[in-house]
Amino acid sequence: QVRLVESGGGSVQAGGSLRLSCEVSTDTLNNLDSMGWFRQAPGKEREGVAQIYITFPSTYYADSVKGRFTISLDKAKKTLYLQMDTLKPEDTALYYCAADSQFRLGVNTVPLFEYRGQGTQVTVSS
């Protein structure tokens, strides 16, 4: 069983930064193939934001956040991060951490991952 708990959301002005964290409760990360972040804004569909594979250092981003967001994984702490810089009002959403034990190709698959957390709210004001 995998449990994911996000933290680090909050309110920030446009141009600011936030770092989201996701603590992973599992016997070993080796049971997972990849992890990621997705978001959902009110009235909008879920959007895959970033993806990272567990066993090799490849990361993928949605075009909307490329160059501004950075996903990383601290295996020793079993914690996934999302560093968000140069935030825009359109980044306002509920952000979810997700994980999957099966191979998934493409950041757009992150909302479909088999495990997800409860979400953390990010609000960016103009």
Side-chain angles (χ1 to χ4, degrees):
Q1 188 66 19
V2 177
R3 184 167 177 261
L4 306 174
V5 179
E6 304 97 335
S7 61
S11 297
V12 64
Q13 289 192 328
S17 298
L18 283 173
R19 188 176 80 157
L20 305 183
S21 300
C22 173
E23 294 186 15
V24 186
S25 296
T26 184
D27 289 340
T28 171
L29 290 177
N30 291 333
N31 292 331
L32 301 173
D33 186 84
S34 67
M35 297 190 67
W37 295 90
F38 70 93
R39 64 188 181 185
Q40 187 165 25
K44 295 188 176 181
E45 294 186 356
R46 294 171 180 171
E47 177 189 21
V49 173
Q51 181 187 16
I52 186 168
Y53 287 96
I54 303 298
T55 55
F56 54 93
S58 291
T59 57
Y60 301 89
Y61 298 92
D63 289 342
S64 57
V65 306
K66 202 171 294 183
R68 300 188 298 119
F69 289 12
T70 303
I71 188 171
S72 60
L73 176 64
D74 187 327
K75 293 183 179 181
K77 295 183 178 179
K78 294 184 182 178
T79 301
L80 182 73
Y81 300 99
L82 185 67
Q83 177 67 41
M84 305 185 295
D85 298 318
T86 320
L87 283 161
K88 304 176 180 180
E90 51 263 44
D91 294 318
T92 295
L94 191 59
Y95 283 72
Y96 296 86
C97 171
D100 205 307
S101 60
Q102 303 299 313
F103 177 75
R104 297 274 195 173
L105 181 62
V107 67
N108 58 318
T109 67
V110 176
L112 305 175
F113 281 13
E114 60 185 306
Y115 304 108
R116 67 183 62 167
Q118 294 300 307
T120 185
Q121 179 67 39
V122 171
T123 302
V124 185
S125 59
S126 57

